């Protein structure tokens, strides 16, 4: 066993122990207790799927990749899921981005330094961006609509197992997610470079070349036309997490999240509404181009024009 695998095993065992202790008191109404969330078929899909049918193709053609982007961000908020089955404290265990990353690269991308906790899942291993490019739409659909993963809070424990979205999303919403993965999602390398060292979850990451080849002056023109009205001239109008993040902070520190939200928006932030946060409205998707994002990313490196919190 390689040393890093060994260390990871130690970590995994420690995590399981932690979840056992943390959730042993959580008995659902159907009597199931954590930690052993049953495994879905996720991870084994793609080899057994059948060919794409005409019905699959037309469902895919009718699907909306921008809706899919918002589903990828927060499926529960997108469908206004109820809090009894999906309590706010555990919604991260249902967000595609929590396990797969805003960059779709899983634990080898921006999540490399994201330590799992009682309220944050273990990151997935695979490169979902590459996987979606090399699998057909039926295979992707089946992988999302798998059976057996976590459904509701009362049924299985909170861990890194992919939820059973077949019980959460409609088929049409799953097709939206498929379209997002297959053709809407960005190749983040076109927006910045990420260099990493070490291994998940204790690795480190550094962004460089944020806004690759962008033009900051052109970015400001777009910003003033499309964003300023809501976010203010200097990006401080909406304190995005209600706990101290201005757009300037995000342009510099979260380019992986900006490349997603600046163009596709985000669903209403239920957790923020419930915590009394004033900035929790949905952000509509924006009619801007990838180049507009790069331009604004360059613009946003200016700490005087776009201050941090
Ligand atoms: C709690 C963590 C978690 C969440 C949330 C999650 N996934 Fe996954 N996903 C996984 C894991 C684990 C795998 C198995 C492969 C791996 O370990 O990298 C996987 C696999 C996949 C695969 C198939 C890859 C294969 O090898 O079969 C697709 C497609 C996928 N996820 C899409 C999504 C989408 C879309 C969402 C949100 C609607 C989502 N995932 C949410 C953890 C998660
Ligand atoms: C109609 C108003 C509106 C417009 C126009 C708008 N936004 Fe937003 N934006 C919001 C709101 C409201 C939020 C906070 C959403 C939340 O936290 O629930 C937000 C949040 C964001 C976030 C981060 C969200 C988070 O909580 O992480 C980014 C990044 C962002 N906007 C970028 C942009 C950019 C870039 C533009 C211009 C292309 C833009 N927005 C245009 C209203 C708007």
């Amino acid at each position: 066993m390689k040393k890093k695998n060994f260390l990871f095993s130690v970590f995994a065992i420690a995590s399981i122990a932690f979840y056992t202790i943390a959730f042993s008191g959580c008995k659902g109404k159907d009597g199931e207790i954590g930690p052993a969330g049953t495994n879905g078929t996720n991870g084994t899909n793609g080899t057994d799927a059948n060919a794409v049918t005409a019905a699959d193709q037309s469902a895919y053609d009718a699907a909306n990749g921008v809706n899919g982007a918002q589903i990828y961000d927060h499926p529960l908020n997108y469908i206004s899921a109820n809090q009894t089955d999906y309590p706010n404290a555990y919604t991260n265990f249902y967000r595609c981005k929590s396990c797969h990353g805003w960059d779709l690269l899983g634990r080898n991308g921006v999540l490399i330094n994201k330590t799992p906790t009682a309220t944050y899942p273990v990151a997935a291993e695979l490169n979902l961006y590459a996987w979606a490019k090399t699998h057909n739409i039926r295979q992707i659909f089946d992988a999302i609509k798998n059976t057996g993963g976590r459904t509701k809070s009362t049924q299985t424990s909170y861990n890194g197992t992919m939820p059973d979205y077949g019980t959460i999303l409609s088929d049409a919403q799953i097709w939206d997610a498929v379209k997002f993965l297959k053709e809407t999602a960005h190749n983040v390398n076109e927006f910045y470079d990420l260099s990493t060292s070490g291994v998940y979850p204790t690795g480190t990451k550094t962004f460089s070349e944020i806004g690759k080849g962008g033009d900051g002056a052109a970015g400001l023109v777009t910003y003033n036309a499309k964003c300023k009205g809501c976010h203010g001239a200097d990006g401080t109008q909406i304190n995005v997490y209600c706990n101290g993040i201005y757009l300037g902070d995000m342009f510099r520190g979260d380019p992986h999240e900006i490349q997603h939200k600046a163009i596709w928006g985000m669903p209403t932030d239920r957790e923020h509404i419930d915590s009394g946060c004033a900035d929790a409205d949905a952000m509509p998707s924006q009619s801007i181009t990838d180049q507009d994002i790069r331009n604004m990313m360059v613009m946003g490196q200016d700490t005087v024009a776009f201050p941090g919190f």
Side-chain angles (χ1 to χ4, degrees):
M1 187 184 276
K2 283 199 222 119
K3 187 172 176 216
K4 70 179 182 188
N5 290 345
F6 173 73
L7 284 174
F8 185 74
S9 302
V10 169
F11 170 77
I13 291 163
S15 306
I16 290 165
F18 169 76
Y19 288 120
T20 310
I21 293 161
F23 295 108
S24 53
C26 299
K27 199 170 196 168
K29 57 174 176 277
D30 50 3
E32 283 181 301
I33 301 175
T38 43
N39 293 315
T41 53
N42 52 267
T44 61
N45 293 283
T47 51
D48 53 353
N50 294 318
V52 176
T53 65
D56 293 338
Q57 190 61 52
S58 59
Y60 178 82
D61 291 344
N64 180 326
V66 173
N67 292 346
Q70 297 203 7
I71 289 168
Y72 186 86
D73 174 345
H74 209 323
L76 299 183
N77 286 358
Y78 185 84
I79 62 169
S80 305
N82 75 71
Q83 303 224 15
T84 309
D85 289 336
Y86 308 101
N88 277 348
Y90 301 108
T91 57
N92 282 322
F93 292 89
Y94 295 89
R95 301 179 71 180
C96 317
K97 73 94 189 170
S98 301
C99 297
H100 294 289
W102 290 113
D103 53 8
L104 281 62
L105 301 178
R107 63 178 61 173
N108 297 310
V110 293
L111 293 174
I112 193 163
N113 63 344
K114 184 72 182 174
T115 308
T117 66
T119 55
Y120 210 92
V122 175
E125 280 179 51
L126 92 165
N127 177 334
L128 188 54
Y129 183 82
W131 192 92
K133 294 290 178 222
T134 51
H135 289 75
N136 73 35
I137 57 173
R138 183 75 220 178
Q139 291 168 324
I140 303 171
F141 181 92
D142 286 349
I144 302 172
K145 192 180 171 155
N146 68 75
T147 52
R150 179 184 338 103
T151 54
K152 299 184 291 202
S153 61
T154 48
Q155 292 176 333
T156 50
S157 63
Y158 295 108
N159 54 27
T161 304
M162 184 155 144
D164 184 351
Y165 289 106
T167 65
I168 299 170
L169 299 172
S170 68
D171 282 6
Q173 288 161 341
I174 294 175
W175 282 115
D176 288 345
V178 172
K179 195 156 209 170
F180 170 70
L181 295 180
K182 191 73 184 166
E183 62 181 84
T184 309
H186 291 144
N187 174 355
V188 293
N189 295 331
E190 293 172 5
F191 295 85
Y192 58 77
D193 286 336
L194 176 73
S195 60
T196 61
S197 64
V199 284
Y200 173 84
T202 56
T204 56
K205 65 176 183 229
T206 314
F207 295 106
S208 57
E209 298 286 323
I210 295 174
K212 279 187 175 177
D215 172 348
L220 188 59
V221 173
T222 305
Y223 182 86
N224 286 340
K226 306 257 180 167
C227 321
K228 182 179 157 183
C230 294
H231 286 280
D234 60 357
T236 65
Q237 202 67 49
I238 294 174
N239 172 4
V240 288
Y241 298 115
C242 292
N243 63 358
I245 297 181
Y246 289 159
L247 276 194
D249 295 310
M250 292 194 74
F251 280 122
R252 295 184 288 274
D254 300 321
H256 54 300
E257 193 167 343
I258 288 269
Q259 59 81 25
H260 185 109
K261 289 181 172 171
I263 185 163
W264 303 309
M266 60 187 284
T268 307
D269 197 326
R270 181 182 84 186
E271 292 89 320
H272 289 176
I273 290 175
D274 293 339
S275 63
C277 174
D279 300 331
D281 290 340
M283 176 169 140
S285 73
Q286 302 291 309
S287 49
I288 58 172
T289 64
D290 291 359
Q291 187 59 36
D292 289 334
I293 298 176
R294 285 187 282 272
N295 294 343
M296 285 192 285
M297 283 177 161
V298 172
M299 165 204 81
Q301 302 309 303
D302 182 337
T303 56
V304 176
F306 288 88
F309 187 76

